[in-house]
C-alpha cells in the first residue's frame, strides 16, 4: 500500500517492470514514447506496466519488428508476476487488518476502543485517520491519528466538531451507510457532496471511508487517506478499511454488552447494600 515492497516477490516484480520500461525507452528512444516512471510501490509499477504495454501493442499494430514482439511477450510475463505480487500484498493487508481487530479486542471500554481505532488504521498504511460517532443522525469526530503529529490530529478533530453534519446532508457518507459498503472518494476538493470543512483542513486528493455497524445500527464512520498526488488511495484500500470497520463494529458490540453487565452488576450491588441496610435497621429496632 504505502510502503516499499515488503517481500522478495514484490521487489522482484517492481524490478522487472523497471527493466521492461528501460528496454522500451532504449528501443524507441527517450522521446519516442511517453512512458510512466517506475516507483517503489506496486501500484506505481502497475501503472507504468499498463502504459508500456499500450505503447508496445501500438507499435506492433503499426508493423514493428520481432524485437518489439519479444518485448511485448516479456511485458505480458511480467504482468503475471506483478499480479501475483499484488495478490500476495492484498493477503498481507487483510491479515494486518485482522491483527488490528484482535488488538482492539483488548479495549476495556467504549471510550478506549474509540480512541485506539485511528492508530490501528494508521498501522495498515494510512497516513491520516479520523473516527467519528453517529448519534441520532449527526456524526461527530471523536478521535484522530496523524502519526506523531498530535497538532494535526487535533486540527482534524476541531474542524469536524466545530462543524457537525447530519448524514442526510452528506450524500456520499449517507449512501455508504445505506449500502453498508466502504467508498473511495477521488478529487474531493471539487466534490460538493463531501464535508467541506474537513476537506479544507486536509486538502486531500482522495480518501476512503467505511461505516461501522453494531447491532444492526450504524454507530460510526472511519475516514482515512494518504496525502500523495502520486499514489493516493484505491478500491483495495477501501476494502482493507472495510475489514477493519467490520471488526470494530463487533468490538463495539462486545464492549456495549460488557458495559451493560457492569452496570447491572453495580445496580445489583447497590440493591443488595440497600436491602442489607434495611435489614440492619429492622434488627436495631427489634
Amino acid at each position: 500500500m504505502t510502503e516499499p515492497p515488503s517481500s522478495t516477490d514484490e521487489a522482484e516484480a517492481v524490478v522487472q517492470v523497471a527493466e521492461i520500461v528501460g528496454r522500451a525507452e532504449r528501443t524507441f528512444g527517450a522521446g519516442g514514447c511517453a512512458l510512466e516512471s517506475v516507483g517503489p510501490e506496486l501500484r506505481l509499477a502497475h501503472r507504468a506496466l499498463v502504459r508500456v504495454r499500450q505503447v508496445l501493442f501500438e507499435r506492433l499494430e503499426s508493423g514493428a519488428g520481432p524485437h518489439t514482439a519479444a518485448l511485448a511477450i516479456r511485458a505480458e510475463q511480467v504482468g503475471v508476476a506483478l499480479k501475483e505480487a499484488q495478490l500476495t500484498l492484498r493477503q498481507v493487508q487483510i491479515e494486518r487488518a485482522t491483527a488490528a481487530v484482535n488488538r482492539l479486542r483488548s479495549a476495556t471500554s467504549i471510550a478506549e476502543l474509540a480512541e485506539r481505532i485511528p492508530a490501528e488504521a494508521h498501522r495498515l498504511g494510512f497516513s491520516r485517520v479520523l473516527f467519528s460517532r453517529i448519534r441520532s443522525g449527526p456524526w461527530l469526530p471523536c478521535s484522530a491519528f496523524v502519526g506523531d503529529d498530535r497538532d494535526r490530529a487535533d486540527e482534524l478533530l476541531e474542524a469536524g466538531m466545530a462543524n457537525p453534519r447530519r448524514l442526510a446532508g452528506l450524500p456520499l457518507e449517507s449512501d455508504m451507510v445505506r449500502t453498508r459498503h466502504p467508498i473511495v472518494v477521488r478529487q474531493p476538493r471539487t466534490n460538493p457532496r463531501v464535508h467541506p470543512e474537513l476537506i479544507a483542513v486536509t486538502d486531500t486528493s482522495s480518501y476512503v471511508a467505511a461505516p461501522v455497524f453494531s447491532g444492526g445500527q450504524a454507530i460510526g464512520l472511519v475516514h482515512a487517506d494518504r496525502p500523495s498526488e502520486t499514489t493516493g488511495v484505491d478500491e483495495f484500500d477501501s476494502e482493507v478499511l472495510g475489514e477493519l470497520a467490520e471488526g470494530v463494529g463487533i468490538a463495539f458490540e462486545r464492549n456495549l454488552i460488557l458495559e451493560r453487565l457492569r452496570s447491572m452488576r453495580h445496580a445489583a450491588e447497590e440493591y443488595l447494600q440497600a436491602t442489607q441496610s434495611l435489614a440492619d435497621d429492622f434488627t436495631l429496632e427489634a
Side-chain angles (χ1 to χ4, degrees):
M1 304 228 318
T2 63
E3 303 170 353
S6 58
S7 74
T8 302
D9 289 344
E10 294 166 43
E12 181 61 27
V14 172
V15 168
Q16 289 182 37
V17 173
E19 174 202 352
I20 291 295
V21 172
R23 288 174 60 183
E25 288 177 339
R26 290 191 296 273
T27 299
F28 306 124
C33 56
L35 297 177
E36 297 271 355
S37 60
V38 182
E41 299 176 23
L42 284 180
R43 75 177 71 211
L44 296 179
H46 178 261
R47 185 186 302 173
L49 184 62
V50 168
R51 177 56 187 155
V52 76
R53 287 167 66 190
Q54 179 183 2
V55 169
L56 289 169
F57 283 114
E58 288 173 353
R59 296 297 174 114
L60 286 172
E61 289 177 354
S62 62
H67 183 72
T68 299
L71 194 55
I73 292 172
R74 176 60 182 153
E76 293 301 299
Q77 293 172 336
V78 171
V80 173
L82 186 63
K83 287 298 181 184
E84 290 177 350
Q86 287 176 318
L87 289 172
T88 298
L89 179 59
R90 291 179 177 228
Q91 182 61 39
V92 168
Q93 288 301 105
I94 293 298
E95 290 173 356
R96 288 176 180 172
T98 300
V101 171
N102 287 335
R103 287 189 294 269
L104 288 172
R105 290 177 60 187
S106 66
T108 57
S109 69
I110 293 296
E112 181 189 351
L113 177 60
E115 185 64 29
R116 288 172 54 183
I117 291 167
E120 289 296 343
H122 184 270
R123 294 175 69 170
L124 299 180
F126 298 107
S127 299
R128 301 180 293 196
V129 186
L130 181 69
F131 175 66
S132 307
R133 291 294 305 271
I134 299 174
R135 299 181 184 277
S136 302
W139 59 275
L140 280 172
C142 64
S143 58
F145 195 87
V146 188
D148 295 327
D149 196 338
R150 184 65 253 180
D151 291 339
R152 290 290 291 167
D154 290 341
E155 191 177 1
L156 278 177
L157 287 173
E158 290 169 6
M161 293 175 69
N163 302 277
R165 298 284 173 147
R166 297 186 66 84
L167 278 176
L170 294 169
L172 289 177
E173 277 77 7
S174 179
D175 289 348
M176 177 180 69
V177 169
R178 179 179 54 80
T179 61
R180 302 173 72 106
H181 289 298
I183 58 173
V184 182
V185 180
R186 295 183 173 85
Q187 299 181 333
R189 299 164 188 162
T190 57
N191 193 327
R193 306 176 71 203
V194 302
H195 195 304
E197 291 82 8
L198 283 175
I199 298 303
V201 169
T202 61
D203 193 33
T204 185
S205 60
S206 61
Y207 69 85
V208 290
V212 176
F213 282 83
S214 179
Q217 298 294 318
I219 63 165
L221 306 172
V222 187
H223 289 77
D225 76 346
R226 187 178 300 114
S228 168
E229 296 288 350
T230 305
T231 57
V233 290
D234 59 18
E235 284 75 11
F236 182 63
D237 290 310
S238 71
E239 293 174 19
V240 171
L241 193 65
E243 289 285 336
L244 178 67
E246 184 176 350
V248 165
I250 296 171
F252 258 97
E253 197 161 349
R254 170 182 175 274
N255 275 276
L256 283 171
I257 293 172
L258 289 175
E259 290 191 356
R260 282 198 296 268
L261 287 173
R262 283 194 289 266
S263 178
M264 292 170 63
R265 184 180 298 113
H266 181 68
E269 289 173 352
E270 288 187 335
Y271 175 78
L272 289 173
Q273 288 175 359
T275 302
Q276 184 62 48
S277 296
L278 184 62
D280 291 342
D281 290 342
F282 275 119
T283 301
L284 291 173
E285 291 175 4

